[in-house]
């Protein structure tokens, strides 16, 4: 993947899943920032604005949909595509215009990297 200097913010409350996603993305040549929930993600974004956010849906403190809405409502972050990755995707995903892509867990590495590459274009 030709994604030199592109940064992905991975937001996932389960540490093992977060570490696995980070490793996959780093091995593909991306720079990665990790956060355990939406609140932590916002804190990370204040010092380093990512090119894409990959977030779990169900998390404590602030879930993925709330995070996406926060991102899209701020001028500094509104341009950032948000991909939602979850074992339980919302049935009415059409009602979430702030989400650029939906990935169902478990997701193949190829599908993950293809989706990320498309969103980075």
């Amino acid at each position: 993947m030709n994604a030199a200097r592109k940064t992905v913010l991975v937001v996932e409350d389960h540490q093992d899943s977060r570490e696995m996603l980070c490793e996959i993305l780093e091995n593909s040549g991306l720079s990665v920032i990790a956060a355990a929930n939406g609140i932590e993600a916002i804190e990370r974004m204040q010092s380093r604005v990512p090119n894409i956010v990959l977030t779990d849906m169900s998390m404590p403190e602030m879930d993925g949909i709330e995070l996406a809405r926060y991102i899209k409502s701020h001028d500094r972050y509104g341009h950032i595509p948000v991909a939602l990755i979850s074992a339980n995707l919302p049935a009415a995903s059409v009602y979430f215009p702030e989400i650029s892509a939906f990935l169902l867990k478990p997701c193949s590495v190829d599908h993950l990297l293809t989706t990320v590459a498309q969103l980075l274009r």
Side-chain angles (χ1 to χ4, degrees):
M1 181 183 302
N2 184 6
R5 300 180 188 260
K6 298 290 185 177
T7 301
V8 179
L9 172 56
V10 173
V11 190
E12 167 65 64
D13 58 323
H14 292 103
Q15 183 176 350
D16 291 344
S17 296
R18 185 173 60 248
E19 289 174 357
M20 181 186 63
L21 286 168
C22 289
E23 183 176 338
I24 290 167
L25 295 166
E26 287 170 346
N27 287 342
S28 74
L30 294 161
S31 176
V32 179
I33 307 166
N37 59 56
I39 301 294
E40 195 175 297
I42 291 167
E43 292 171 1
R44 300 270 193 280
M45 290 174 65
Q46 290 172 0
S47 60
R48 188 169 169 201
V49 178
N51 298 97
I52 182 177
V53 174
L54 179 62
T55 182
D56 187 21
M57 187 169 74
S58 301
M59 297 179 291
E61 298 186 51
M62 178 187 274
D63 69 27
I65 299 292
E66 292 169 319
L67 175 60
R69 288 182 177 147
Y70 173 89
I71 289 169
K72 295 303 180 180
S73 71
H74 285 76
D75 291 339
R76 183 175 183 203
Y77 310 124
H79 67 282
I80 301 170
V82 178
L84 190 70
I85 183 167
S86 182
N88 301 303
L89 293 178
S93 57
V94 68
Y95 298 112
F96 298 103
E98 51 281 297
I99 304 298
S100 301
F102 293 92
L103 296 164
L104 185 62
K105 289 180 185 176
C107 175
S108 74
V109 171
D110 287 343
H111 185 58
L112 170 69
L113 294 177
T114 298
T115 301
V116 169
Q118 289 171 345
L119 294 175
L120 286 171
R121 286 190 196 131

